[in-house]
Amino acid sequence: MSPLAAQAGQVLPGFSRTFTRADLVRYAGASGDFNPIHWSDAAAAALGLPDVIAHGMLTMGTALRVVSDWAGDPGRVLSYTVRFTKPVVVPADTGAVVDFGATVTAVADGVAAVAIEARCDGAKVLSSAVAEVRLG
């Protein structure tokens, strides 16, 4: 594995991802999370949600791709913590576009701390999302 360089303030390449209802069904099958708020309009409405919502872990896992793509090896990720701020609402007709980005906030002892951001319709859907990445 080649060395990875980083410095505080370095902005990592971000990306956008559209989550569709089909993605939610596939994720439910892979994860075993069949909570109907992820696929049923009626169940979501019964809880006061504006529409079905994406699985939090799907959003969280997709967000980490900013870091693993930059690092070149997901095995470099030493830790990852996230707080969920707002659900990603997934309308049946358009899906939901989430924009992901990240910035290196600190580098010490061969480890970079990376703050990850995820926004849907301009609103933060994750907060306090931080990954630690082994550089050497």
Side-chain angles (χ1 to χ4, degrees), residues 6 27 39 43 50 60-62 80-81 84 89 91 97 111 113 117 123 135:
Y27 187 81
W39 54 267
M60 180 182 173
T62 304
Y80 181 36
T81 59
F84 299 100
V89 176
V97 177
V111 175
E117 194 169 274
L135 298 174

Side-chain angles (χ1 to χ4, degrees), residues 5-107:
Q7 60 184 1
Q10 179 178 349
V11 176
L12 306 185
F15 66 93
S16 295
R17 167 79 197 277
T18 301
F19 291 104
T20 66
R21 295 281 181 97
D23 294 325
L24 304 185
V25 171
R26 284 191 287 275
Y27 187 81
S31 69
D33 180 353
F34 294 101
N35 187 325
I37 63 172
H38 302 302
W39 54 267
S40 168
D41 295 320
L47 290 177
L49 296 168
D51 214 325
V52 302
I53 61 171
H55 301 75
M57 298 302 284
L58 175 59
T59 306
M60 180 182 173
T62 304
L64 187 60
R65 201 183 98 202
V66 174
V67 174
S68 61
D69 286 356
W70 166 71
D73 177 2
R76 288 185 186 272
V77 177
L78 302 174
S79 67
Y80 181 36
T81 59
V82 168
R83 295 187 83 177
F84 299 100
T85 307
K86 184 176 179 185
V88 174
V89 176
V90 183
D93 55 345
T94 61
V97 177
V98 181
D99 300 310
F100 298 98
T103 304
V104 176
T105 57
V107 177

